[in-house]
Amino acid sequence: MKYLPTLLRRLLPALALTAVAVAAQAAYPEQPIRMIVAYAPGGGTDLTARLIAPYIARYLGNNASIVVVNRSGAGGGIGFAELANAPADGYTIGFINTPNVLTIPIERKSNFHWTGYDLLGNVIDDPGNFSVHNDTPIRNLGELVAYAKANPGKVTYGTTGIGSDDHLAAMLFERAAGVQLTHVPFKGASEVHQGVVGKQIFMASMNVGEAMQYEKGGSPMHNLGQMSAARTNLAPGLPTFKEQGFDIVMASLRGIAAPKGLPAAVKEQLASAVQKAANDPEFQAKAAAAFAPLRYLPPAKYEAELKTTEASFKQLWKEMPWGENGAK
């Protein structure tokens, strides 16, 4: 017992450091967290971000707050790069979208790659779709093909950028249908939508969830088909491309990530908050009302999906490059 005071004196510095570390860990987050969206306001990713951010903040605790920041441009490349190169301190997170986050580094030199993020979980899986203005006579893919063949190059279509799922789907459709379309890239789905509504472009290549959000708002657009393996609960009345004779499956995963190298405790806390937010019944009800097709994937499964999908796009690049020089 006479040695106890000396032992305590030796342990005190270590105990003090441990207490400080625990206090610091418990205090996260001590300031607002930025959530980067690599597309313009009003699109599907932006809507999902604004829906889920309060729930992630709720499950982080400590009066956390999350501010959504739009960094659109370069098909998502500007926002993806800003996210990848931000400090890995837990105060910058953001959405990464397939295929853009995978295809941009394939087609050109980029200062980001999906392996340069700490993955926190996937939230959305939204099939592709074609939409035209109600004033056009087109009501299905067969009629679109007939019109495009009779008017080569006159069918202009808008997308969220070169190498996006919208763009790749249209290229695959051109090859399958033997038609020539004219690509017009925009910064986000909301701008593509306005292009169709204002008749600056003939057609929108956009995700089903986004198209149905605009339809619910009274948009004068008609959807031609969904690029899912089977009809989704999101749009049970909309035929798939395969049903209409075109075996094309294309969708956009929208998941949440952070710069690589988060402190382990912070990474675990963020990933847990994303999972709890995605599974929150209140959030799920709001997502359903906004036609946001949920598909939560934990970080490990999300990583496996990205790895497999990247390999398929590398093969597609060899067959039909879609970059600036090869884009249509």
Side-chain angles (χ1 to χ4, degrees), residues 3 16 21 41 45 56 83 103 115 135 169 182 244 247 249 282 291:
Y3 297 108
T45 307
I56 296 174
L83 176 61
T103 56
T115 55
D135 288 348
T182 301
Q244 299 180 67
D247 192 6
V249 176
E282 187 177 278
F291 301 102

Side-chain angles (χ1 to χ4, degrees), residues 7-26:
L7 179 62
L8 283 175
R9 282 198 299 272
R10 290 176 179 174
L11 288 176
L12 278 176
L15 291 171
L17 287 173
T18 301
V20 169
V22 170
Q25 178 180 326

Side-chain angles (χ1 to χ4, degrees), residues 28 115 139 166 197 243 273 280:
Y28 173 81
T115 55
R139 287 297 175 267
D166 317 317
V197 171
E243 286 178 78
D280 187 292

Side-chain angles (χ1 to χ4, degrees), residues 281-318:
E282 187 177 278
F283 164 71
Q284 291 181 344
K286 290 182 179 180
F291 301 102
L294 300 177
R295 182 190 174 203
Y296 172 73
L297 292 174
K301 289 186 177 180
Y302 188 22
E303 178 182 356
E305 183 111 358
L306 291 177
K307 187 178 295 184
T308 300
T309 307
E310 181 185 43
S312 69
F313 284 130
K314 284 182 176 179
Q315 182 59 39
L316 182 62
W317 173 259
K318 293 178 182 179

Side-chain angles (χ1 to χ4, degrees), residues 14 20 34 70 89 99 120 124 162 165 188 219 258 263 272 322:
V20 169
R34 292 193 313 147
N70 298 88
D89 56 8
L120 303 176
I124 298 289
I162 294 171
D165 56 319
S219 178
S272 175
W322 58 80

Side-chain angles (χ1 to χ4, degrees), residues 8-262:
L8 283 175
R9 282 198 299 272
R10 290 176 179 174
L11 288 176
L12 278 176
L15 291 171
L17 287 173
T18 301
V20 169
V22 170
Q25 178 180 326
Y28 173 81
E30 297 179 296
Q31 63 192 55
I33 297 169
R34 292 193 313 147
M35 175 180 277
I36 295 175
V37 171
Y39 299 94
T45 307
D46 179 70
L47 176 64
T48 301
R50 295 179 190 280
L51 282 177
I52 200 170
Y55 293 92
I56 296 174
R58 175 189 297 177
Y59 290 111
L60 282 174
N62 200 40
N63 295 316
S65 65
I66 298 176
V67 180
V68 176
V69 179
N70 298 88
R71 293 287 187 263
S72 61
I78 291 175
F80 299 152
E82 182 171 330
L83 176 61
N85 294 295
D89 56 8
Y91 291 102
T92 302
I93 61 175
F95 271 83
I96 56 173
N97 303 55
T98 65
N100 304 53
V101 75
L102 304 176
T103 56
I104 292 174
I106 293 173
E107 73 188 43
R108 61 183 185 265
K109 185 177 180 180
S110 303
N111 56 352
F112 67 87
H113 187 268
W114 71 269
T115 55
Y117 301 105
D118 276 338
L119 303 177
L120 303 176
N122 187 68
V123 179
I124 298 289
D125 186 350
D126 198 355
N129 157 71
F130 287 166
S131 301
V132 295
H133 197 289
N134 283 338
D135 288 348
T136 72
I138 311 300
R139 287 297 175 267
N140 55 55
L141 295 179
E143 292 177 354
L144 174 64
V145 171
Y147 184 90
K149 287 183 175 179
N151 302 274
K154 290 188 178 179
V155 176
T156 55
Y157 69 95
T159 74
T160 54
I162 294 171
S164 65
D165 56 319
D166 317 317
H167 181 213
L168 299 185
M171 290 182 67
L172 290 171
F173 181 75
E174 285 180 291
R175 184 170 69 172
V179 296
Q180 180 185 349
L181 311 177
T182 301
H183 182 211
V184 182
F186 290 85
K187 291 182 179 180
S190 60
E191 294 182 8
V192 176
H193 169 245
Q194 288 303 318
V196 171
V197 171
K199 300 182 181 179
Q200 285 88 29
I201 53 175
F202 186 88
M203 182 177 77
S205 180
M206 65 167 51
N207 299 101
V208 172
E210 294 170 329
M212 295 188 71
Q213 291 165 23
Y214 296 131
E215 184 180 337
K216 181 181 179 181
S219 178
M221 291 201 312
H222 176 75
N223 301 325
L224 301 181
Q226 56 185 317
M227 301 173 200
S228 46
R231 296 194 190 193
T232 61
N233 292 335
L234 192 68
L238 183 62
T240 65
F241 272 52
K242 190 171 184 177
E243 286 178 78
Q244 299 180 67
F246 303 95
D247 192 6
I248 297 173
V249 176
M250 185 67 72
S252 174
L253 290 182
R254 300 172 196 153
I256 301 175
K260 193 79 169 181
L262 289 177

